[in-house]
Amino acid sequence: MKYVLVTGGVVSGLGKGVTASSIGVLLKACGLRVTSIKIDPYLNTDAGTMSPFEHGEVFVLDDGGEVKKLLSSAVPLLTFGQKKCWCHFQHHNHDSILLTAAFYVSPVMYFERRLDSLISPFYKGRELEIIVLIATDFELFLCLKVDLDLGNYERFLDTKLTRDNNITTGKIYQSVIDKERRGDYLGKTVQVVPHITDAIQEWIERVAMIPVDGKEGPADVCVIELGGTIGDIESMPFIEALGQFSYRVGPGNFCLIHVSLVPVLNVVGEQALDENVMEKLSQFCHVPAENIITLYDVSNIWHIPLLLRDQKAHEAILKGLNLTGVARKPALEEWTARAELCDMLHEPVKIAMVGKYTGLSDSYLSVIKALLHASVVCRRKLIIEWVPSSDLEDTTAKEAPDVYKAAWNLLKGADGVLVPGGFGDRGVQGKILAAKYARESRVPFLGICLGMQIAVIEFARSVLDLQDANSTEFDPETRSPCVIFMPEGSKTHMGGTMRLGSRRTYFHVTDCKSAKLYGNASFVDERHRHRYEVNPDMIAQLENAGLSFVGKDESGRRMEIVELPSHPYFIGVQFHPEFKSRPGKPSALFLGLIAAACSQLDIVLQKSGHVKKEAIRKTGMSNGPTIVKARQNGNADKPANGSLNGVHTNGNGVH
């Protein structure tokens, strides 16, 4: 097993996750099998109880593991001795990114040379061979920090990770304390070194051997990302453990990639570092000048693996891992075509995202990615209109009429409406109003998790005239409980007590849009994360009024998919289809939403929801030399506030 470690320095949020994912893509394109591990130094056991406003979305794995990308509003800018200067993290076009890859971990000596005592556990006096990768696109990496790391690994590498692929300080300490309580240490004093550090190394070795690509046997390379910043107190046990680990696995089996910051002063806009800067970096970092690579501004993150390939980063990594004779030339033709196609799309499709956490777009990161995957297949430029659900409510109309009017204008100007998952009663009435608008105006609608539940509540209120219809989550005393607490749930413990992970949904109606989108399958496996469900005692009443619960669990009593047959596209699902969407293989239901929003649904349904090889070739996403021609629309609206990784937004949720 070969190991690639990605660490970060100076400031957080530099793009370690996308760097690790891109290197994984590059190594996979060289014919190697790749797995991933994310280390989070926080004490939480998992991310399930963390606020979306503080940490972004919770990404759910097949086995129910929950992970998040930690974000920081205040980060260490520079370190001088033991004193740290702190500042708010802001976007500056002239900033740059430094990525340093070393085959044996070494002190970083440029802007981080003051930190050498903190990272010295890595440095044991070995002969060093280092690569430095530099990116001048701070805006790009600022956007990338909101991307959920394990979700990014799965999307980029098309793998299925497990909860053990995410290591936290809480998990490690819990496992060591459990061993101590069982007497496994035979009365010894349990210490950070060697017991915690040994537990970290053993965890990495064990998880790295788990296949995640659907094939038998372990992967060839394990890419490990250490969250946080080198020098943080909380990450020191991991730094020590990984320093020991480099000796444990031996020469030729360990490679470090360090992500750092290089400010470039008096520069406006995008610019690569000149040769003088390269030479200075070479001298201060003890890096050969030929191993310094510049990564400049790109239009979408799918270009990052291509930039690494073009500057031969894979050759240096393969050389350090003694894999030069094993790996092939990277085959990224399909990846290249997809990245270029995304840049060439001009005809817009507008989707109104009606949610509670629209002030922080990373709360819906996987939803955004799934929409992007589907829009590229449909050859449309995705524009997301962020609509805070509470702004649609009557209270806002009285207190802030301009805000209320603006929110409704965004909703009514969209080609489709999406209500994502969430918890709590704030903004629920606005989501119900959005579902009502989409149903009555025959606008394509997709409700996910809570989005499905509020669609059922709205139908009960408007069609069945049950004005007090509600969820017991919001009104425990309602006389018309359309949504109820699941009997197996826990009301006393929050973490890990929901219905989590991959569950099977059986189609009970074959002639429905969702079944056709899934390729006329009899069942589908999707990931779940919920405590409440549609009340099975009200199903007959709802279906008699026109709703159709086309998908159910194995018992037939838990509702998974609801459709309104008389509507062009009105679908709600209890699960989260966004978590399994991939570039080139979009989620079926997201593809249906985008297709319906741009009048392509009939074509997609005829193809049974599958993007066949012929269709892929015609859209420029094949492995061949197809030339892509984007469909132009001279009347396309240009979003006022620009784009985020190929996704244009109204600015409400982008920071």
Side-chain angles (χ1 to χ4, degrees):
M1 176 66 68
K2 309 289 185 177
Y3 298 90
V4 176
L5 172 64
V6 179
T7 63
V10 182
V11 295
S12 63
L14 293 181
K16 296 188 300 295
V18 78
T19 301
S21 300
S22 298
I23 289 170
V25 168
L26 199 53
L27 295 176
K28 184 177 179 181
C30 290
L32 301 172
R33 295 175 60 196
V34 181
T35 185
S36 304
I37 294 176
K38 172 66 190 299
I39 298 174
D40 287 307
Y42 52 69
L43 282 169
N44 304 66
T45 300
D46 61 39
T49 58
M50 296 182 184
S51 166
F53 274 126
E54 187 172 351
H55 296 293
E57 83 171 356
V58 175
F59 189 85
V60 179
L61 303 169
D62 265 5
D63 66 354
E66 300 171 299
V67 292
K68 282 193 179 183
K69 168 67 175 176
L70 283 176
L71 304 178
S72 176
S73 60
V75 294
L77 181 62
L78 292 173
T79 300
F80 299 96
Q82 299 300 316
K83 297 181 180 180
K84 292 183 178 180
C85 302
W86 292 81
C87 72
H88 268 293
F89 195 65
Q90 295 179 346
H91 166 227
H92 299 284
N93 284 330
H94 55 262
D95 287 334
S96 299
I97 307 299
L98 171 68
L99 307 132
T100 310
F103 303 126
Y104 302 101
V105 185
S106 69
V108 178
M109 300 188 64
Y110 186 49
F111 285 97
E112 297 168 83
R113 59 187 181 274
R114 306 277 183 172
L115 296 178
D116 57 357
S117 62
L118 297 177
I119 61 176
S120 59
F122 283 128
Y123 182 59
K124 307 296 183 181
R126 288 183 170 179
E127 181 179 355
L128 303 177
E129 186 176 9
I130 302 175
I131 308 170
V132 178
L133 312 171
I134 299 169
T136 59
D137 178 19
F138 197 65
E139 181 179 15
L140 168 69
F141 280 83
L142 177 61
C143 296
L144 293 178
K145 79 170 186 173
V146 304
D147 201 356
L148 187 66
D149 291 323
L150 263 71
N152 212 35
Y153 301 157
E154 285 204 342
R155 284 187 288 268
F156 267 50
L157 301 174
D158 194 16
T159 57
K160 292 183 179 180
L161 302 177
T162 71
R163 67 178 70 201
D164 284 348
N165 288 84
N166 180 224
I167 304 175
T168 69
T169 300
K171 286 182 178 180
I172 295 296
Y173 274 79
Q174 187 175 61
S175 67
V176 171
I177 291 172
D178 288 344
K179 287 182 179 180
E180 188 275 331
R181 292 290 83 189
R182 290 195 305 265
D184 292 0
Y185 297 115
L186 301 177
K188 292 182 179 179
T189 301
V190 180
Q191 298 175 294
V192 173
V193 180
H195 301 100
I196 295 297
T197 53
D198 284 351
I200 293 169
Q201 295 176 66
E202 291 164 3
W203 192 302
I204 291 173
E205 283 190 324
R206 174 178 59 85
V207 175
M209 301 300 289
I210 301 174
V212 297
D213 56 2
K215 301 177 182 177
E216 294 183 358
D220 301 308
V221 181
C222 177
V223 179
I224 306 166
E225 179 192 346
L226 174 59
T229 305
I230 293 293
D232 291 344
I233 292 176
E234 60 186 4
S235 63
M236 285 186 177
F238 292 101
I239 296 171
E240 173 63 29
L242 290 164
Q244 296 176 14
F245 191 68
S246 66
Y247 280 92
R248 182 169 180 157
V249 300
N253 295 314
F254 188 86
C255 166
L256 171 72
I257 295 176
H258 188 73
V259 183
S260 184
L261 173 67
V262 178
V264 180
L265 304 179
N266 299 322
V267 175
V268 178
E270 170 188 328
Q271 179 174 320
L273 298 180
D274 58 33
E275 292 185 3
N276 292 333
V277 177
M278 301 283 196
E279 290 295 333
K280 179 176 286 189
L281 286 171
S282 176
Q283 294 171 3
F284 279 97
C285 297
H286 297 177
V287 179
E290 62 271 16
N291 285 351
I292 297 178
I293 302 171
T294 298
L295 300 181
Y296 49 83
D297 260 358
V298 293
S299 53
N300 67 73
I301 62 173
W302 294 338
H303 284 286
I304 300 299
L306 306 178
L307 293 178
L308 292 173
R309 175 206 60 187
D310 293 343
Q311 300 176 70
K312 299 181 174 15
H314 59 289
E315 293 183 4
I317 295 172
L318 293 172
K319 179 181 177 183
L321 296 177
N322 291 334
L323 291 173
T324 303
V326 177
R328 69 190 183 204
K329 182 180 179 181
L332 288 168
E333 291 82 7
E334 180 179 343
W335 191 279
T336 302
R338 186 184 303 115
E340 293 175 351
L341 174 63
C342 185
D343 294 339
M344 299 174 70
L345 299 176
H346 295 278
E347 193 169 350
V349 57
K350 294 183 180 180
I351 301 297
M353 184 91 78
V354 183
K356 177 180 176 180
Y357 310 111
T358 55
L360 187 67
S361 59
D362 15 322
S363 300
Y364 306 112
L365 229 294
S366 292
V367 175
I368 295 172
K369 298 299 184 183
L371 287 170
L372 177 61
H373 300 160
S375 64
V376 170
V377 169
C378 291
R379 301 178 65 85
R380 292 294 189 273
K381 178 178 286 293
L382 176 63
I383 298 176
I384 295 179
E385 304 286 13
W386 294 95
V387 182
S389 55
S390 57
D391 290 354
L392 299 172
E393 299 175 353
D394 293 340
T395 303
T396 304
K398 298 176 182 178
E399 298 176 353
D402 291 341
V403 173
Y404 174 83
K405 182 179 179 181
W408 275 102
N409 286 340
L410 287 175
L411 181 65
K412 292 180 178 180
D415 302 311
V417 177
L418 193 152
V419 178
F423 296 90
D425 59 357
R426 183 174 64 84
V428 166
Q429 182 58 32
K431 296 177 182 179
I432 292 174
L433 291 171
K436 181 178 182 179
Y437 162 77
R439 181 181 60 82
E440 294 180 341
S441 302
R442 299 176 65 80
V443 174
F445 172 88
L446 177 61
I448 299 172
C449 198
L450 177 61
M452 167 186 166
Q453 296 171 5
I454 62 97
V456 172
I457 294 171
E458 187 280 322
F459 189 87
R461 291 181 180 180
S462 301
V463 179
L464 295 178
D465 199 28
L466 300 175
Q467 295 303 316
D468 63 342
N470 214 328
S471 168
T472 56
E473 179 182 6
F474 315 130
D475 182 6
E477 306 301 325
T478 178
R479 292 176 296 175
S480 303
C482 293
V483 179
I484 60 174
F485 191 81
M486 293 187 299
E488 68 267 35
S490 171
K491 294 186 177 181
T492 58
H493 290 74
M494 299 294 289
T497 59
M498 290 182 282
R499 184 171 179 247
L500 289 166
S502 182
R503 306 296 177 101
R504 181 155 293 180
T505 295
Y506 293 88
F507 287 103
H508 287 245
V509 178
T510 57
D511 187 23
C512 64
K513 296 182 180 68
S514 54
K516 292 177 180 177
L517 287 168
Y518 278 107
N520 296 312
S522 58
F523 64 85
V524 62
D525 296 318
E526 292 282 9
R527 298 174 183 179
H528 293 68
R529 185 176 185 260
H530 64 112
R531 287 192 177 89
Y532 291 82
E533 63 174 331
V534 176
N535 188 349
D537 295 334
M538 293 190 66
I539 299 305
Q541 189 177 3
L542 290 165
E543 289 195 320
N544 289 337
L547 272 186
S548 180
F549 291 91
V550 301
K552 303 177 183 180
D553 74 345
E554 65 279 358
S555 71
R557 286 185 55 82
R558 181 158 288 155
M559 304 302 111
E560 295 281 3
I561 306 175
V562 62
E563 290 189 16
L564 190 60
S566 60
H567 193 282
Y569 191 86
F570 193 95
I571 295 178
V573 292
Q574 187 58 72
F575 47 79
H576 289 265
E578 67 271 22
F579 292 140
K580 295 179 74 172
S581 184
R582 303 286 184 264
K585 295 191 294 184
S587 164
L589 299 177
F590 279 86
L591 178 60
L593 175 67
I594 296 296
C598 56
S599 303
Q600 296 181 15
L601 183 59
D602 290 340
I603 297 174
V604 172
L605 291 177
Q606 289 172 6
K607 294 180 179 179
S608 299
H610 289 294
V611 183
K612 299 180 181 179
K613 292 183 179 179
E614 179 66 17
I616 292 176
R617 188 170 70 251
K618 289 182 178 179
T619 57
M621 292 187 294
S622 70
N623 290 323
T626 305
I627 298 175
V628 182
K629 293 184 178 179
R631 295 173 60 183
Q632 302 284 340
N633 181 355
N635 296 322
D637 296 330
K638 182 178 180 181
N641 292 323
S643 64
L644 170 63
N645 292 334
V647 180
H648 288 246
T649 75
N650 62 18
N652 291 337
V654 180
H655 298 274

